[in-house]
Amino acid sequence: MVTKLIATIATCLILMGITYHHSTSKNFMPVKIKNNNPIFLNETYYTGFIPIGKKGSLFYWLFESRSNPNTDPLVIWLTGGPGCSSEIALFFENGPFKIKDDLTLTSNPYSWNSKANLLYVDQPLGTGYSTAQVVDTNEETLAADFYTFFLQFLVAFPQFAGRPLYITGESFAGHFIPAIASYFLQKGSQIINLKGVAIGDGWVKPDIQYPSYNDYALENKLINQTTYNKLKPAFATCQALIKKGNWKAALTACDQATIQITGNPAKFNIYNIREQCNGPLCYNMTNIDRFLARLDVQQALGVTGRNWTQCNDTVFRAMEPDQITDLSFDVAFLLSKNLPVLIYHGDLDFDCNWRGGEQWVNQLSWSGQSEFQKMNYTKLENYGVYKSYKNFTFYKIYNAGHMVPLDQPAVALDMLTRFIATGNLSATA
């Protein structure tokens, strides 16, 4: 049965003009380490590179579920940027490990592979360990690349063909996820069983989210009323330029307005307003760099000789015009196909703050818009508040910043467990 399935998938790839590389190929080499590597605390994992035609290759790191790997769903995690590696989340947020100062690992009891098979992907091309001869500049080519990646991934791991699939991520993944999920649904592949998407502190609708900086800053006493009134016209100009599609002028105007709140360098941690900013990403992530520089680690991952960076500036610059693109239309498309969509925000995040998230989800045009707007918030334990209508859920999480799984790991795992169970947050984890 498995052999027949592999042959079927491979045939489909050939018909699409995609070459299937067997695992012994130098370009396509999933590596399995099972319960015999003390570096990674005996977690069962796979790594590899999947070629995207002649454009480059995407690096993946798959962890088997700690519960029931043969039946649990597959959850994909995508970090934002654009151009920031998913290994950041793996070690800093919701992966199986945390890195200690002595560069050894400790187990994370709240890892998202507690209840699911968990797949991290370095994308777009050129991100993290992934390579790029050609970089993506928009969501259309990025989504097509990811579809190519995932079909070939299913060749290597046919046990996930037809398995329930969830696509998750944060920040600029608010662009990636709607585009990729919409592309998947439009293709209608019978071997891809997409069951839901979850976007954390996502950058989805810039013309709404940029002006929300002013509202959030005033509400949280980052600015006073005088400054708020002064900045309203500046953010109105920012919004108008975004709507016109003039990305250079828009980003200049929007950034100039935003800097008057944050300062340059930032006066506060834009990812968690209660913390100090420490380092380029406001957090000290040097242990990730140091750990991944270990030769034995590189050998165990099959990445010897490859360079890794937290965030790739070339990828970021290539997709800079995409920062003003509105991806809420793709979210509406997903809802029209009855796909469960979860939008969640930490209440301490300035960068992609919950006020902007709340505004764009309420303004989203879809069949359930008016009923969704009428819904009252429901308190969930002491974790936060949410509202749902049909397949759309908005969740504000207390005492969490931009990286919810970092600040509230137990709450984040509870959220994922509930979402997988029912497509919303009503299930008991």
Side-chain angles (χ1 to χ4, degrees):
M1 182 65 180
V2 170
T3 303
K4 183 178 179 181
L5 181 57
I6 293 175
T8 301
I9 299 172
T11 300
C12 292
L13 295 175
I14 292 169
L15 290 173
M16 294 174 56
I18 302 169
T19 303
Y20 164 56
H21 296 264
H22 190 264
S23 61
T24 57
S25 165
K26 292 182 179 179
N27 293 322
F28 182 61
M29 43 184 183
V31 178
K32 181 177 180 181
I33 309 293
K34 185 173 183 178
N35 294 331
N36 61 357
N37 195 321
I39 296 175
F40 296 109
L41 309 182
N42 299 324
E43 291 274 354
T44 301
Y45 72 89
Y46 309 77
T47 63
F49 296 89
I50 292 182
I52 311 300
K54 296 181 179 179
K55 293 179 64 175
S57 61
L58 291 180
F59 174 77
Y60 67 88
W61 193 340
L62 168 68
F63 293 93
E64 283 193 354
S65 172
R66 291 170 173 172
S67 298
N68 298 296
N70 294 328
T71 57
D72 282 346
L74 178 65
V75 171
I76 296 175
W77 175 271
L78 306 175
T79 294
C84 292
S85 170
S86 288
E87 278 77 73
I88 294 175
L90 194 163
F91 290 112
F92 213 65
E93 298 184 66
N94 57 5
F97 319 115
K98 300 290 185 178
I99 303 175
K100 297 187 291 186
D101 288 340
D102 65 359
L103 300 188
T104 60
L105 301 179
T106 183
S107 182
N108 175 16
Y110 304 109
S111 174
W112 283 15
N113 77 321
S114 298
K115 301 293 184 178
N117 298 284
L118 183 58
L119 174 64
Y120 294 91
V121 185
D122 279 346
Q123 67 85 53
L125 289 162
T127 301
Y129 281 121
S130 295
T131 62
Q133 281 70 54
V134 178
V135 293
D136 290 310
T137 60
N138 57 69
E139 301 300 331
E140 289 77 14
T141 60
L142 181 149
D145 288 347
F146 201 87
Y147 184 69
T148 299
F149 161 83
F150 194 65
L151 287 179
Q152 293 198 66
F153 175 85
L154 292 179
V155 173
F157 300 94
Q159 65 268 35
F160 293 119
R163 187 86 66 93
L165 170 69
Y166 296 84
I167 306 177
T168 69
E170 71 190 10
S171 197
F172 206 80
H175 270 43
F176 301 153
I177 294 171
I180 291 169
S182 295
Y183 195 90
F184 276 24
L185 291 185
Q186 289 166 18
K187 286 296 184 180
S189 171
Q190 294 183 349
I191 59 175
I192 298 177
N193 184 18
L194 184 60
K195 301 295 286 186
V197 300
I199 301 171
D201 293 80
W203 189 249
V204 179
K205 189 171 175 56
D207 65 304
I208 296 296
Q209 291 182 267
Y210 262 118
S212 76
Y213 287 158
N214 208 25
D215 299 326
Y216 183 85
L218 179 65
E219 182 180 292
N220 288 276
K221 298 181 173 57
L222 301 173
I223 57 173
N224 58 29
Q225 188 69 50
T226 300
T227 302
Y228 176 84
N229 294 338
K230 173 186 172 184
L231 290 178
K232 283 203 77 172
F235 278 111
T237 299
C238 156
Q239 185 180 62
L241 289 168
I242 290 174
K243 290 181 177 180
K244 288 181 180 179
N246 188 337
W247 72 269
K248 286 186 177 180
L251 290 180
T252 298
C254 296
D255 290 345
Q256 286 176 349
T258 305
I259 284 172
Q260 294 186 61
I261 298 174
T262 63
N264 187 18
K267 296 178 292 187
F268 57 89
N269 187 331
I270 64 172
Y271 303 116
N272 187 320
I273 60 174
R274 289 185 184 171
E275 297 185 0
Q276 294 296 312
C277 187
N278 179 18
L281 298 178
C282 279
Y283 293 90
N284 184 356
M285 299 181 182
T286 55
N287 278 352
I288 302 178
D289 299 290
R290 295 169 61 210
F291 179 78
L292 293 178
R294 284 175 44 179
L295 181 59
D296 57 342
V297 170
Q298 293 177 3
Q299 290 172 339
L301 295 179
V303 297
T304 305
R306 289 180 180 258
N307 294 323
W308 182 86
T309 57
Q310 291 181 17
C311 297
N312 187 307
D313 189 61
T314 299
V315 175
F316 178 84
R317 294 301 174 193
M319 295 202 68
E320 197 168 15
D322 190 61
Q323 291 184 44
I324 69 165
T325 304
D326 182 356
L327 269 292
S328 67
F329 298 104
D330 279 337
V331 175
F333 173 76
L334 300 178
L335 294 173
S336 74
K337 298 300 182 181
N338 296 316
L339 188 77
V341 175
L342 168 63
I343 307 296
Y344 66 93
H345 285 261
D347 64 353
L348 301 179
D349 178 27
F350 171 84
D351 188 54
C352 296
N353 61 74
W354 75 272
R355 278 297 185 199
E358 181 185 56
Q359 289 170 26
W360 80 255
V361 299
N362 280 327
Q363 293 183 29
L364 185 67
S365 178
W366 65 293
S367 63
Q369 179 184 12
S370 60
E371 294 301 322
F372 181 83
Q373 290 173 341
K374 296 174 187 175
M375 297 298 296
N376 293 320
Y377 280 105
T378 298
K379 188 174 182 181
L380 180 59
E381 307 290 344
N382 293 316
Y383 304 157
V385 293
Y386 74 94
K387 65 175 184 174
S388 294
Y389 181 71
K390 290 187 175 179
N391 51 326
F392 198 25
T393 302
F394 179 80
Y395 187 20
K396 182 180 78 168
I397 299 172
Y398 297 151
N399 300 313
H402 192 69
M403 295 181 282
V404 171
L406 170 67
D407 296 323
Q408 294 289 354
V411 174
L413 179 58
D414 172 86
M415 174 188 70
L416 179 71
T417 305
R418 291 171 183 268
F419 187 59
I420 288 173
T422 64
N424 54 51
L425 301 178
S426 62
T428 302

